[in-house]
Amino acid sequence: MQRALAAIVLCGTIASGYDEPASERPSSERPALRRADDESLEPPSPYPRTVVARSLGRGLDWLAAAETRLGDGSWPVPTGTGALGAPVAVSSLATLALMAGGNLPGRGEHGERVTRGLDYILSRAVRDAADPRYGFVGGDGLSRMHGHGFATLTLAQGFAISPNAELGARLRDALHGAVDLIERTQGAEGGWMYEPRLEPDHEGSVTICLVSALRAARDAGLLVRSEVIARAEGYVRASQAESGLFRYTLGSDKTTLALTAAAVATLEATGSYDDPALVRGVDAITRALAAGTWPGQGEFPHYERFYLALALWGLREREPFEQWFTDELQRLVASQNEDGSWSDSRYGDAYATAINCLVLALPDGTLPIFQR
């Protein structure tokens, strides 16, 4: 999946000091779930919440139905000419989208689909401690460490909302191995590459994806080494170009709006809003939006849309996100298929639908990682 299924940055309200498990913090500091339909907790919105709910509901219904086609808890991926199938990454995103829509493992309209999705992800984890890939969640041949990052993120959210159930214990055990793999494969520059092993090369989208997974795991109560996070954040800052945009990798001339939004969201999660790199990144995004840039113009519209949503959502001011989301909602609804899905010829409709459902669910803040 490499650049196309690049790092989906899901940022939580995470304090500094990553070595302190969230379970040891006062309950008032831990993220809490709230009902997605509880509008009393939100100020008035400039966009029609009923339209958001209707479009999101149709997308989630399609995802739930699509999961039943294969019978193993995974979601279908395309197999034709030019298609790029990555079931681990796509199934992780689809499971995460269902949880973002208010479904818990075994609870909610699509709760059984969430449980099956988590079981599928768990089945892809390498459990043999003697295996050099111990802890790796993947094996689909395409998404590799991107898929591992998405899987770790999804497992962390499942554990955060169901820590005491039998499933929660299994999620915790898999998370320990998944986090350990990320920590021991970090390169000297602070980044990661595509394969689940220590490599001399590195790449920005993989790095951001794995940083997001570590943060989600830490906020769910897992022990994460603070120096790993610090080195990765240093890598992200070092990848910024003079324009304020962020590069595909250190030393590369290639910059993209999607990677810039992903990097901005990563830096926002540190709470350092006066960070010069963050300020310059936000300025670069603002200039792009003012020039009329929006998802659909680039090569990978779905993940770019999500990156922008996260970056704007993470700002201290609400107005930039609300203005952008109001316009983007019209494009999302117009491009939704009659059956509730969205289309993507390379990575499949499950991928596109999961990404766009996550965008629509973001303002509800149902998941801990969505809370500002």
Side-chain angles (χ1 to χ4, degrees):
M1 174 132 321
Q2 300 185 3
R3 287 173 293 179
L5 273 183
I8 291 190
V9 184
L10 302 176
C11 302
T13 51
I14 302 173
S16 60
Y18 291 93
D19 285 328
E20 178 195 2
S23 59
E24 296 179 5
R25 299 201 306 271
S27 59
S28 61
E29 297 179 13
R30 300 179 205 163
L33 292 173
R34 69 173 181 81
R35 288 173 46 193
D37 60 352
D38 189 352
E39 297 187 25
S40 67
L41 299 181
E42 293 286 347
S45 299
Y47 48 84
R49 292 177 63 86
T50 53
V51 173
V52 175
R54 186 181 309 115
S55 182
L56 174 60
R58 293 176 60 220
L60 295 177
D61 288 345
W62 185 90
L63 282 176
E67 186 274 333
T68 64
R69 298 177 193 172
L70 301 179
D72 63 353
S74 69
W75 271 259
V77 297
T79 57
T81 303
L84 299 171
V88 172
V90 170
S91 297
S92 297
L93 295 173
T95 303
L96 192 68
L98 291 176
M99 289 193 289
N103 300 282
L104 308 181
R107 296 170 55 192
E109 182 179 2
H110 304 309
E112 183 57 33
R113 302 290 169 241
V114 172
T115 300
R116 287 169 57 84
L118 292 171
D119 281 337
Y120 170 78
I121 299 168
L122 288 169
S123 75
R124 309 301 297 183
V126 177
R127 302 297 183 87
D128 183 0
D131 191 316
R133 299 188 310 152
Y134 166 70
F136 178 57
V137 185
D140 63 23
L142 181 64
S143 60
R144 296 176 284 177
M145 284 300 277
H146 276 130
H148 178 79
F150 299 148
T152 303
L153 175 66
T154 303
L155 294 176
Q157 289 307 280
F159 177 66
I161 59 182
S162 298
N164 297 320
E166 181 272 335
L167 177 60
R170 294 165 55 211
L171 295 174
R172 182 188 62 242
D173 291 344
L175 279 168
H176 280 300
V179 168
D180 181 69
L181 176 82
I182 297 173
E183 291 181 334
R184 71 176 188 267
T185 56
Q186 185 180 36
E189 301 286 347
W192 287 265
M193 200 55 181
Y194 300 127
E195 300 297 338
R197 59 175 179 260
L198 185 62
E199 297 189 81
D201 294 326
H202 41 76
E203 191 260 15
S205 67
V206 177
T207 297
I208 291 172
C209 183
L210 297 177
V211 172
S212 304
L214 288 177
R215 285 203 174 112
R218 183 267 169 189
D219 216 37
L222 277 292
L223 188 66
V224 177
R225 290 161 49 195
S226 58
E227 64 270 23
V228 172
I229 295 285
R231 291 172 60 209
E233 289 173 354
Y235 180 97
V236 172
R237 289 183 176 89
S239 68
Q240 189 173 38
E242 289 298 320
S243 64
L245 295 170
F246 284 79
R247 299 182 180 93
Y248 175 63
T249 189
L250 294 181
S252 171
D253 293 331
K254 179 176 182 179
T255 59
T256 70
L257 180 60
L259 281 174
T260 299
V264 165
T266 299
L267 295 175
E268 285 170 342
T270 69
S272 302
Y273 289 95
D274 296 325
D275 185 321
L278 174 56
V279 173
R280 292 172 59 212
V282 171
D283 286 345
I285 292 173
T286 301
R287 290 195 303 272
L289 294 179
T293 298
W294 64 84
Q297 295 176 317
E299 188 177 2
F300 307 109
H302 304 296
Y303 80 81
E304 184 172 273
R305 173 181 291 120
F306 192 61
Y307 293 167
L308 284 171
L310 287 166
L312 296 172
W313 178 252
L315 296 174
R316 286 180 290 191
E317 303 81 11
R318 297 181 62 91
E319 184 177 0
F321 173 82
E322 292 179 342
Q323 289 180 344
W324 176 85
F325 187 73
T326 300
D327 293 336
E328 195 58 33
L329 178 61
Q330 298 179 34
R331 285 185 279 270
L332 268 174
V333 172
S335 62
Q336 190 170 21
N337 297 322
E338 186 174 346
D339 62 3
S341 68
W342 283 268
S343 299
D344 187 273
S345 59
R346 280 177 295 189
Y347 299 103
D349 293 358
Y351 160 71
T353 304
I355 293 290
N356 290 325
C357 283
L358 286 166
V359 172
L360 292 170
L362 180 60
D364 283 329
T366 305
L367 290 178
I369 52 173
F370 282 175
Q371 295 182 17
R372 304 173 77 163

